[in-house]
Amino acid sequence: ERTAEGVVIESKLDRGRGAVATVLVKRGTLKRGDIVVAGASFGRVRALLNERDEQLTEAGPSMAVEILGLDGLADPGEPFAVVENEARARELTDYRIRLKRERNMTPVGAGGTLADMMAKLADKKVAELPLLIKADVQGSAEAIVGSIDKLGTEEVAVRVLYAGVGAVSESDITLAKASSALVIAFNVRANAQARELARRDAVDIRYYSVIYNVVDDIKAALGGMLSPRIRENFLGYAEIREVFDITKVGKVAGCRVTEGKVERGAKVRLIRDNVVVHEGTLSTLKRFKDEVKDVPMGQECGMAFENYEDIRAGDVIECFRVESVVRTL
């Protein structure tokens, strides 16, 4: 006989009916006309519907019903309760909205100025992928946010600007444009005005119907934001036998390749007494008077370095190539 209490199972926006919440009554009896607070939303129950879309006048304990009349979407898992009047309902929802806003605020740190905050963010050196998510039901939006939150690393991360329910609107496109964000539309579509605005402002809207596809695409995008790993491939060693000073050319090293091979255009290190004294690029590689592409072990050649001439007999030249390896998450 008491007033109803329970929990929100799901919520969605319906074009004809507005905000629709599926609730499970745990105690008491929920009646049509009751004033209900569900999460940070409230309203007078206009209609009660069972799983067969049949109208009910009341719902007792353990019944799951859809209720119409709330002023917004309640998050799944939020409690709902019947209150005595709208003033009490407004007081409760205002308090919950304030709590939710405080919980979502993520202070950068103790820095009191904007410059301090920006410096702290720069120190983190984390590349962010901003996203705006719209889904057909609240549960889908939460599942997508939960799945992609796990993809971040110390170098790249996803930043969800907003996750909500309903069609992609013009305000969503405006927010995405201002934040250079990607719009994820899950089982919803953009209205005509939003599509036109997205085309004009070059905002990318991605449509999905399977959560795994969303996760795979975001994972690939984050992988592309990772800085490539630099890998050295050792080519060979050469020993400088004699140094020649040639007019209009500068100093040229007469060398013998002692291991592997040396290649023109490759990176080189000049090693003197086992200490690296210079790192640069090989500008000239000659065999006798001819410019050659590479010289194998055991052969002699002439070498010159780009913008460096402090070379001596007995120095060792280490030749290597650098390649960028694409990283993935």
Side-chain angles (χ1 to χ4, degrees), residues 107-108 114-126 128:
V108 174
L114 181 60
D116 293 335
M117 295 179 189
M118 295 301 289
K120 284 183 171 64
L121 283 173
D123 287 343
K124 291 183 180 177
K125 294 180 181 175
V126 177
E128 288 186 327

Side-chain angles (χ1 to χ4, degrees), residues 240-291:
I240 299 178
R241 296 292 181 89
E242 197 170 346
V243 177
F244 304 97
D245 206 340
I246 300 174
T247 308
K248 296 183 181 180
V249 176
K251 289 187 177 180
V252 175
C255 308
R256 182 180 180 85
V257 181
T258 57
E259 184 179 337
K261 65 177 180 177
V262 292
E263 293 181 357
R264 188 177 72 243
K267 293 285 186 182
V268 289
R269 292 189 183 97
L270 189 66
I271 302 170
R272 185 174 298 154
D273 297 327
N274 294 317
V275 176
V276 176
V277 294
H278 173 70
E279 184 171 323
T281 305
L282 201 59
S283 61
T284 301
L285 181 62
K286 288 192 174 184
R287 178 104 173 104
F288 301 110
K289 291 185 178 182
D290 300 324
E291 191 78 28

Side-chain angles (χ1 to χ4, degrees), residues 215-236:
V215 176
D216 287 346
D217 280 5
I218 299 304
K219 191 174 181 180
L222 287 175
M225 292 166 64
L226 287 170
S227 55
R229 183 178 289 113
I230 303 301
R231 185 167 66 192
E232 284 187 10
N233 288 329
F234 171 77
L235 295 176

